[in-house]
Amino acid sequence: MKAAGGSGESVVIVGSVALDTVATPFGRAESVLGGSATYAALAASFFSPVRLVAVVGEDFPEAHLEALRSRGVDLSGVEIAAGATFRWEGYYEFDLNQAHTVSTELNVFERFRPKLPPAYRDTPYVFLANIDPELQLSVCSQVHAPRLTICDTMNYWIANKRPALLEMLRRAEIVLMNDAEARQLCETPNLVMAARQVLAMGPRAVIIKKGEHGALLFTPEGHFSAPSYPLERVRDPTGAGDTFAGALIGYLAYTNDPSEDSLRQAIVYGSVMASYNVEDFGPARLLRLTHEEIIARYREFGEIARFAAV
Ligand code: AMP
């Protein structure tokens, strides 16, 4: 693992950059740096150089751009458009796996049409965060022969943009979704059956995130289960899934190794980074995280999953 903007292969990340207002039973944060691409970019930056594609409004604080730059994130693909930045407000009750949306103000994000700068077009690793699958497909057509494309999605697109989403699943090597989304997409309560169905749609791996209960990997060859980390100090779960995804692709780009061993390690790094992210509001914890802390918790995950062979 390397320092900010590490020396692995480059990763391009496309998604939302937002101003979030979040309330949890442990406090409230007003207009903090948020968005799916923000969390993914910050997490990936611990492993590999990151190129961000997003849009913000003229009101977006320079300090937030500086926070991303401080992690070595390349912002030449971030457009500053006339208008206000995308804003999301939500709250969590004691079930921290369930976000309740209070308001979504799309603002400049409504007209977001991702446009990759020429220098980004040969990027070998691509993460398409949760945006309209038609926009995800438009990004795919702008990148020349990427080595690995990972896409995320959400219930809204499963319900409203199914044909484009299915086309996206054919184009991606790895698909990420949470347990409820997998059940919704495949219309089955059984996650194993859902994963098999998604694999039949095209990707070589499906990763199902189960919130605080870990993550499952399904490939045609097998199955891996990453443990959950017994955190006592969860303060704000916002961005956990995106942090997981960013670390996952960042680590895969760092090793540049398509093997299942590398994928399993990437999933554990994803879980490590997500477990840190939820310790504080917004991305505050990611912004003060160290490589030593990442390694220490990765080792703890190994201990949690260890048991004696018979
Ligand atoms: P997560 O907790 O991983 O699901 O991601 C939360 C982040 O997603 C927040 O920082 C929000 O700004 C962002 N977000 C919320 N709604 C949307 C949306 N409709 N499209 C894109 N990003 C969103």
Side-chain angles (χ1 to χ4, degrees):
M1 235 195 320
K2 304 291 176 207
S7 67
E9 295 286 342
S10 293
V11 180
V12 71
I13 291 177
V14 186
S16 61
V17 170
L19 295 172
D20 284 352
T21 294
V22 181
T24 79
F26 314 103
R28 182 178 163 86
E30 195 91 35
S31 291
V32 292
L33 174 59
S36 55
T38 297
Y39 286 102
L42 291 174
S45 73
F46 282 86
F47 305 92
S48 284
V50 177
R51 300 164 168 178
L52 185 58
V53 177
V55 63
V56 296
E58 290 155 323
D59 58 345
F60 194 69
E62 177 58 29
H64 289 348
L65 294 173
E66 203 39 54
L68 286 156
R69 276 190 211 107
S70 76
R71 292 277 342 136
V73 177
D74 180 339
L75 301 183
S76 49
V78 177
E79 183 195 348
I80 300 177
T85 301
F86 172 53
R87 282 181 177 267
W88 177 75
E89 179 172 353
Y91 69 92
Y92 301 81
E93 291 173 334
F94 279 107
D95 177 0
L96 292 167
N97 284 315
Q98 182 64 48
H100 302 278
T101 295
V102 175
S103 64
T104 301
E105 294 171 29
L106 292 175
N107 299 327
V108 295
F109 192 51
E110 191 166 6
R111 294 180 301 281
F112 179 45
R113 299 288 174 273
K115 193 165 178 302
L116 270 60
Y120 283 20
R121 294 186 184 211
D122 289 316
T123 311
Y125 287 79
V126 179
F127 175 59
L128 302 164
N130 160 35
I131 50 173
D132 184 334
E134 285 176 15
L135 298 184
Q136 293 180 323
L137 287 166
S138 88
V139 174
C140 291
S141 61
Q142 294 176 55
V143 193
H144 303 139
R147 224 163 288 159
L148 183 79
T149 301
I150 304 184
C151 76
D152 201 346
T153 193
M154 70 181 287
N155 51 6
Y156 181 83
W157 309 122
I158 296 172
N160 297 295
K161 287 281 177 94
R162 201 177 175 93
L165 178 62
L166 294 181
E167 174 62 21
M168 188 59 235
L169 299 185
R170 277 192 284 281
R171 298 281 288 268
E173 278 79 30
I174 301 178
V175 171
L176 279 171
M177 54 184 68
N178 68 32
D179 41 4
E181 291 157 359
R183 292 187 178 103
Q184 181 191 358
L185 177 67
C186 301
E187 296 175 346
T188 169
N190 185 295
L191 287 181
V192 180
M193 283 175 66
R196 295 279 162 243
Q197 280 188 45
V198 179
L199 282 176
M201 295 171 190
R204 73 169 168 88
V206 180
I207 296 169
I208 299 183
K209 299 169 286 180
K210 299 202 303 160
E212 63 184 326
H213 305 300
L216 302 172
L217 165 71
F218 294 89
T219 66
E221 293 78 39
H223 170 237
F224 170 65
S225 175
S228 64
Y229 185 77
L231 257 192
E232 285 173 29
R233 217 171 57 103
V234 179
R235 297 188 71 205
D236 173 14
T238 309
D242 305 306
T243 301
F244 175 95
L248 176 89
I249 195 154
Y251 183 75
L252 290 171
Y254 168 62
T255 62
N256 199 22
D257 169 7
S259 71
E260 185 160 329
D261 277 355
S262 163
L263 187 50
R264 288 181 180 215
Q265 286 177 303
I267 289 171
V268 176
Y269 276 113
S271 307
V272 166
M273 298 297 281
S275 75
Y276 274 122
N277 180 59
V278 301
E279 288 183 357
D280 205 346
F281 280 87
R285 187 68 179 95
L286 291 183
L287 288 167
R288 59 173 195 274
L289 193 59
T290 65
H291 287 279
E292 291 70 28
E293 288 173 313
I294 296 171
I295 297 293
R297 194 165 284 179
Y298 183 92
R299 294 200 173 116
E300 282 185 72
F301 267 81
E303 276 305 300
I304 291 167
R306 185 174 60 82
F307 59 91
V310 285

